Amino acid sequence: MADDAFLQLAEAYNYMELLQRGLADGGRALAGNDEKFLNDVRKSIDAAEPLLTR
């Protein structure tokens, strides 16, 4: 796997890990920069998806 592809996958994995931890902690409504974070997660996963389906 090329370095740039690996970096894309690593970024997506990191975002998913942060998202899972945040959801597991629970206890608060979405606020502040949460919408930007969720949009960044989606963009990262969308970019990584074709790398996993090759």
Side-chain angles (χ1 to χ4, degrees):
M1 175 178 286
D3 288 346
D4 60 331
F6 180 80
L7 289 173
Q8 281 185 302
L9 290 175
E11 179 183 273
Y13 178 84
N14 185 48
Y15 271 130
M16 290 189 307
E17 182 71 23
L18 289 171
L19 183 58
Q20 284 181 319
R21 288 180 187 214
L23 293 173
D25 287 344
R28 74 169 181 83
L30 295 176
N33 288 330
D34 290 342
E35 183 176 358
K36 180 187 179 319
F37 173 75
L38 292 173
N39 285 330
D40 290 346
V41 170
R42 168 52 58 201
K43 288 176 189 174
S44 181
I45 292 171
D46 286 347
E49 183 180 14
L51 301 171
L52 297 172
T53 58
R54 287 184 190 178

